[in-house]
Amino acid sequence: MTLHHTDHRPRQLAVGPEGRGAHGALTTAPVVPAHGRRRGARSTEVRLDPASFWGRRQEVNAAATLPHCVEWMERLGWLENFDRVGRGEPTEDRPGWQFSDSEVYKLLEAVAWEQSRTGDPELEKLHGGLVARIAAAQDDDGYLGTAFGHPGLPPRYSDLSMGHELYNMGHLIQAAVARARLLGSQRAQEDQLVGVARAAADHICTEFGPEARQGICGHPEVEVALVELGRALGEPRYREQARLFLDRRGHGSLPVPALLAADYFQDDVPVRRAEVLRGHAVRALYLTAGAVDLAVDTEDEQLLEAVIGQWRRTVERRTYLTGGMGSRHQDEGFGEDFELPCDRAYCETCAGVASVMVSWRLYLSTGGVEHLDLIERTLFNVIATSAAEDGRAFFYANPLQLREEPDVQEAEGVHMRAEGGLRAPWFDVSCCPTNVARTLASLQNYVISVEEAGEAEEAGKAGAPTVSVLQYMAGEIRAELAVGHLGLRVEGDYPDQQLVRLTVTEAPPGPVRLRLRVPAWAVDARLSVTGADGIRRSRRAVRPGWAEVPTDLAPGDVLHLDLGTAPRLTWPDPRIDAVRGTVAVERGPLVLCLESTDLPEGVALEDVRIDLDQPLRAHRDGASVRLLVRPAGKPAPGRPPFGHAPPAADGEPETFEGALIPYHRWAERGPSTMRIFLPVG
Amino acid sequence: MTLHHTDHRPRQLAVGPEGRGAHGALTTAPVVPAHGRRRGARSTEVRLDPASFWGRRQEVNAAATLPHCVEWMERLGWLENFDRVGRGEPTEDRPGWQFSDSEVYKLLEAVAWEQSRTGDPELEKLHGGLVARIAAAQDDDGYLGTAFGHPGLPPRYSDLSMGHELYNMGHLIQAAVARARLLGSQRAQEDQLVGVARAAADHICTEFGPEARQGICGHPEVEVALVELGRALGEPRYREQARLFLDRRGHGSLPVPALLAADYFQDDVPVRRAEVLRGHAVRALYLTAGAVDLAVDTEDEQLLEAVIGQWRRTVERRTYLTGGMGSRHQDEGFGEDFELPCDRAYCETCAGVASVMVSWRLYLSTGGVEHLDLIERTLFNVIATSAAEDGRAFFYANPLQLREEPDVQEAEGVHMRAEGGLRAPWFDVSCCPTNVARTLASLQNYVISVEEAGEAEEAGKAGAPTVSVLQYMAGEIRAELAVGHLGLRVEGDYPDQQLVRLTVTEAPPGPVRLRLRVPAWAVDARLSVTGADGIRRSRRAVRPGWAEVPTDLAPGDVLHLDLGTAPRLTWPDPRIDAVRGTVAVERGPLVLCLESTDLPEGVALEDVRIDLDQPLRAHRDGASVRLLVRPAGKPAPGRPPFGHAPPAADGEPETFEGALIPYHRWAERGPSTMRIFLPVG
């Protein structure tokens, strides 16, 4: 790991600020709605401390993960697939799945966000080299794809259900959106990647337009991409094409592969009529992201309401404590309501990425703080869990319990399975590494939101712009407001310690409304304000939601937000059969787990219970709890594993003080078994 | 349903008794080991009462299920596939999966057992018609298959992992074994099906022999078939070929399809070294059946011990209360130890069939009564559950909990999914209906076992032959012993009532040892013996295992075996996370369940708990229990479905008397939700 950036103030980009969105400033950020009072942070506004929890991960992402992905895609021939199509060679023996092109595009998107973050000129070279190879594979009519429509391959669009052609071009377009926002709209006009994506988008509009082929792609993605490209290039046709795709979906037009059903690709019920997310989790979430973007830009309240309802039920009934989504391995899909098994939890890393995409869009459009809570939960317990410390291995699935130690040999080379318990360098289906990369590279964009004066939510405060601090990531904030800059230095070893210190480094002349998010779990939070003179001006309890800060802040003022550091028990809804009779332990935004590595010699994880009569204690960054060892008394008489009397344990249980660690750190010390929900005494 | 047989004494077959196995008599029965002291019932020895639990199902099987299967296979073109190959037509557009041939063969096997049961001459016509079409498709070198090796199809053996070619021929061979045992060895020599199967077996020995292709089939089945064909035809080469297949397995020679692993087809560890069954359940069980047959015939104690160890751990840790096997939908596979989710239980009907195959072989070879217990459990709770009352619809998966009512429209026509909750007439992968058919048609063979004099287990009783009554199915038994016949009339409405009455109808001149199985659950069983004069000779408690009966029985003597009728609670091993804090209710061999159909208006199944302070009461054929309605108190505060205090219910719960019904009868009254394990108060 190389920490080569010591100056971590937000940096002015070398590239010009020509790209101005609805809010009139450079919009280097994912998700820039055409309408709405609220915008997320621009890359120029936030810079994370490279020694902080997330800043460190960004540095590792840049230094290790990006080259790691390039290496693997080169090694496996996924990049050469473009070269071969470009040269017109037959490619019926092409390596990789039909969606391998998308990994290159997601990497390009990560590169763009990374460039917006650091301006590293090396990245421009990497970008240019990749784009040249991609561009060479593009057909004259804009079609781009290495798995169909070329010598030796099936014809274009011959398998809309599973072919992923529009999915791939969707990720190409998302990479170009990031590029366009990096360059600004003027320079984007001449950019090669943007041109390639525009040609692909035009091809899609021609091929799938209102009077053309009435098809949709089995894997949603092109919808969200087209809306965002329309935003970035000011081209309403693309948004209109996204609307067509969305409205065509849910009518059972896609042929269903064996052993699946139409809900696998959300072709069972139209988006506007669905009541909950179902089927393949990543598909459902990408589709939802596109639906929100479309609803916002077209001011389609009915569509937005429908999605919000689906989202609420999904979060309240089909989402794990970790924020993970997807209860089934079979179709990488959501389960039914309250079907949340720990051992067979799928919780694909990419579903976590997609969930953040949806939550972020919903926050921007509704302002609901619950979406920020879920983003935080998902970042700390899914995204942070997936990537190894060195940024060169990843979890694909993120189960909440592992019963048997995995075979470490499986983690070498390309991993065929996504069973969880092993971080592997690459996968046969390797969607997760590049998805983690593009998320980490754009994390700064999720740290604050801004509402300009006259756009603030509450009428009484419409006169002042509002800056909301959404996530506590140590670093520098410099919110670009019409009235000037609001600067904040964020410090503190969050989440290991839950005291966040925010120092005002710059303030505009007029009043600014500053709000700090108080997470749902922070029921004992306190906020104090100390002047530059060191004199405390106020101290008070704050409730989950928003903590308002005095509007007359001046440079040197310090805010201390104490979110509470105590580990806490978390109880599941009794309808979740899989965790009946258990509790989890959390600390701040971190879900904790018990890993077999931390058990005394000879104690099996399956025999351990938590003693609720003893208090939880903070223990480094986790918690210490009293554990009971109750070797399974067998129910008897009867044939194991069932019997006709309740199992009785022999004598008093052994007890010991057990250390729970953050879930995101499990499996770092070799093969182990693990569980989050602990049986009660 | 037509009950057209009123005379239900065992009938002498029209076909001759030329076929004599190791025990010197007609061996119309599945599984006839070359060695061993114990044999199962011949079809001539047992005839079930057609009005009894199982006799009724046999009648429905004959009258409805067999023609139903023929109709569907004709309608879908699975039979015509043979005709087209026979005519040399290109068949690249053939309907059905690559294993559809096997359904025809399993049907033929069912027909043979059914013929042995009733001698119905119409069945001979059905048989002949099907065999003629199959024979026409056989290649000159013995190869038989409609999915490979013909114009327009992939070459033979080009996909050993998933091609199922040997699997198909294995089922062909099993059908021929049943036919050969029906006809006796003399007439079998001239039989067309036997000839076809022999040619196929010879082809397999040539193609996969010691010096030939070192391959195995991705789906075990040919192994068990070849051993049995060797037995039926007295041909040791077939057994030897089975041994080769068995020994080649477990060395990773099969290419692994995406998203699976070598354990899917048991190619990860050699059979002799494996510790537990794993991967695809039906594959694992068919392989195990073949391993037992091979071990017995070759007196390979080491192999038998290995299989017994695998079986024990599988039953104690990877088997459901219902006897169902298979915890995962993804690969239709076993889970890890104690991974037994109720809602996502797969418990494929075919795995139940295969489990009976294995248990029966293990009983014959070891005499262990535990194998008979599992057979009973599986018959009543998996096999009886699958088939609808009318014999024209089936469950594919047999979950122990259903959370959401299924969409009944899915049960019309060919069912694409195996989700459980719906009995469907046919499936895209339709292995279960014909598997149920062949099992029901041969049920009589599992009712008794016989050890001839000098073969009995205990030295002191070696002078008398032993007849063991294994399963309580009302009907007539006429055990064919060297010393004469022992006749028993079995009566009683078992399992609805657990009093079984056995009347001696015929007795040989010398002493006969008669044993009655006392199931593991029958902890309060009693046996009384009453003479023909109506005077009770003895009455005593008997323990689970075997109840010995006096050896001086005479015609007219009556045995009353009272197995106890009380419903009972069943507690799971605490290591089964999925059912922590719950109990099940059983009655005799029946697992009971609570179906939403039986709940008061407005009560949701998810809110119901069982009140353990109130006694269970017998209720028709199920039980009546005190249920509490506790609408889920939400854990709070926190974001649903998780919170930081235990969920508290408001006020006193409502209570009502709830009826639990036998699990095998669920979903007969329209769409419902259901659960077997009930949360405790």
Side-chain angles (χ1 to χ4, degrees), chain B residues 542-625:
Chain B
V542 288
R543 305 284 311 148
W546 294 110
E548 298 278 344
V549 174
T551 52
D552 55 348
L553 291 172
D557 287 350
V558 179
L559 313 173
H560 284 104
L561 180 63
D562 183 352
L563 295 169
T565 60
R568 61 190 188 278
L569 292 175
T570 299
W571 302 78
D573 187 298
R575 289 170 292 188
I576 309 175
D577 291 287
V579 290
R580 178 174 291 110
T582 69
V583 295
V585 181
E586 294 184 281
R587 188 168 172 195
L590 300 176
V591 175
L592 306 184
C593 71
L594 179 58
E595 195 177 1
S596 57
T597 322
D598 292 312
L599 293 176
E601 185 78 22
V603 172
L605 184 56
E606 64 188 14
D607 293 335
V608 171
R609 307 279 176 274
I610 185 170
D611 181 355
L612 292 186
D613 295 336
Q614 298 295 321
L616 304 177
R617 276 175 292 273
H619 175 84
R620 294 191 203 127
D621 50 358
S624 153
V625 297

Side-chain angles (χ1 to χ4, degrees), chain A residues 373 571 573 639 641 643 675, chain B residues 373 571 573 577 639 641 643 675:
Chain A
D373 283 339
W571 302 78
D573 187 299
R639 297 223 183 275
R675 61 186 304 158
Chain B
D373 282 340
W571 302 78
D573 187 298
D577 291 287
R639 296 221 184 275
R675 60 187 304 158

Side-chain angles (χ1 to χ4, degrees), chain B residues 62-63 187 285 377 394 400 483 619 638:
Chain B
R187 290 181 55 197
L285 291 160
R377 183 170 288 282
F394 306 85
L400 281 73
V483 296
H619 175 84

Side-chain angles (χ1 to χ4, degrees), chain A residues 97 256-261 263 313 315-322 327-332 336-341 343-344 346 369-370 373-374 377 401-404 416-417 419 428-429 519-521 523 568-582 586 606-607 609 632-635 637-647 675 677 679-680, chain B residues 97 256-261 263 313 315-322 327-332 336-341 343-344 346 369-370 373-374 377 401-404 416-417 419 428-429 519-521 523 568-582 586 606-607 609 632-635 637-647 675 677 679-680:
Chain A
W97 286 87
V256 179
L259 305 181
L260 293 174
D263 64 356
R313 178 163 152 196
V315 172
E316 294 187 357
R317 297 179 172 223
R318 301 185 174 193
T319 300
Y320 284 92
L321 182 62
T322 55
S327 305
R328 297 179 175 181
H329 282 238
Q330 187 189 22
D331 56 357
E332 307 191 303
E336 294 178 345
D337 287 357
F338 303 113
E339 180 191 319
L340 293 166
D343 47 0
R344 294 294 284 172
Y346 201 65
V369 74
E370 66 272 23
D373 283 339
L374 186 60
R377 183 169 288 281
Q401 176 182 12
L402 198 76
R403 296 170 177 281
E404 293 185 8
M416 291 302 293
R417 304 170 82 186
E419 293 289 316
D428 183 45
V429 171
W521 49 263
V523 292
R568 63 189 188 279
L569 293 175
T570 299
W571 302 78
D573 187 299
R575 289 170 291 188
I576 308 175
D577 291 288
V579 290
R580 179 174 290 108
T582 69
E586 295 183 279
E606 64 187 14
D607 294 334
R609 308 278 176 273
K634 284 182 188 160
R639 297 223 183 275
F642 304 103
H644 305 308
R675 61 186 304 158
F677 282 94
V680 171
Chain B
W97 286 87
V256 178
L259 305 180
L260 293 174
D263 64 356
R313 179 164 152 198
V315 172
E316 294 186 358
R317 297 179 173 224
R318 299 185 175 194
T319 301
Y320 285 92
L321 181 62
T322 55
S327 305
R328 297 179 175 181
H329 282 238
Q330 187 189 21
D331 57 356
E332 307 190 305
E336 294 180 344
D337 287 357
F338 303 113
E339 180 191 320
L340 294 165
D343 48 0
R344 294 294 284 172
Y346 200 66
V369 74
E370 66 273 21
D373 282 340
L374 186 60
R377 183 170 288 282
Q401 176 182 11
L402 197 75
R403 296 170 178 278
E404 293 186 7
M416 291 302 293
R417 306 169 82 187
E419 292 290 313
D428 184 44
V429 172
W521 49 264
V523 292
R568 61 190 188 278
L569 292 175
T570 299
W571 302 78
D573 187 298
R575 289 170 292 188
I576 309 175
D577 291 287
V579 290
R580 178 174 291 110
T582 69
E586 294 184 281
E606 64 188 14
D607 293 335
R609 307 279 176 274
K634 286 183 184 159
R639 296 221 184 275
F642 304 103
H644 306 309
R675 60 187 304 158
F677 282 93
V680 171

Side-chain angles (χ1 to χ4, degrees), chain A residues 468-552:
Chain A
S468 305
V469 180
L470 314 178
Q471 306 293 344
Y472 298 104
M473 301 185 181
E476 298 283 340
I477 294 169
R478 189 164 182 260
E480 299 160 1
L481 308 171
V483 296
H485 289 144
L486 175 68
L488 293 168
R489 180 180 309 119
V490 183
E491 295 166 297
D493 197 11
Y494 186 87
D496 293 352
Q497 291 161 359
Q498 281 126 40
L499 180 65
V500 182
R501 177 186 161 104
L502 302 100
T503 306
V504 179
T505 55
E506 190 174 357
V512 174
R513 183 183 174 212
L514 178 64
R515 307 189 304 172
L516 309 179
R517 181 176 70 93
V518 181
W521 49 263
V523 292
D524 293 317
R526 295 182 166 273
L527 175 68
S528 70
V529 183
T530 305
D533 53 9
I535 298 172
R536 181 188 290 166
R537 292 163 56 195
S538 68
R539 181 157 193 271
R540 61 189 172 96
V542 288
R543 306 284 311 148
W546 295 110
E548 298 278 344
V549 174
T551 52
D552 55 346

Side-chain angles (χ1 to χ4, degrees), chain B residues 38-60:
Chain B
R38 196 173 295 103
R39 68 167 176 83
R42 299 166 188 152
S43 293
T44 46
E45 292 183 312
V46 178
R47 174 115 184 97
L48 305 188
D49 175 354
S52 69
F53 186 98
W54 288 112
R56 206 168 64 232
R57 283 168 171 77
Q58 287 196 312
E59 298 297 314
V60 171

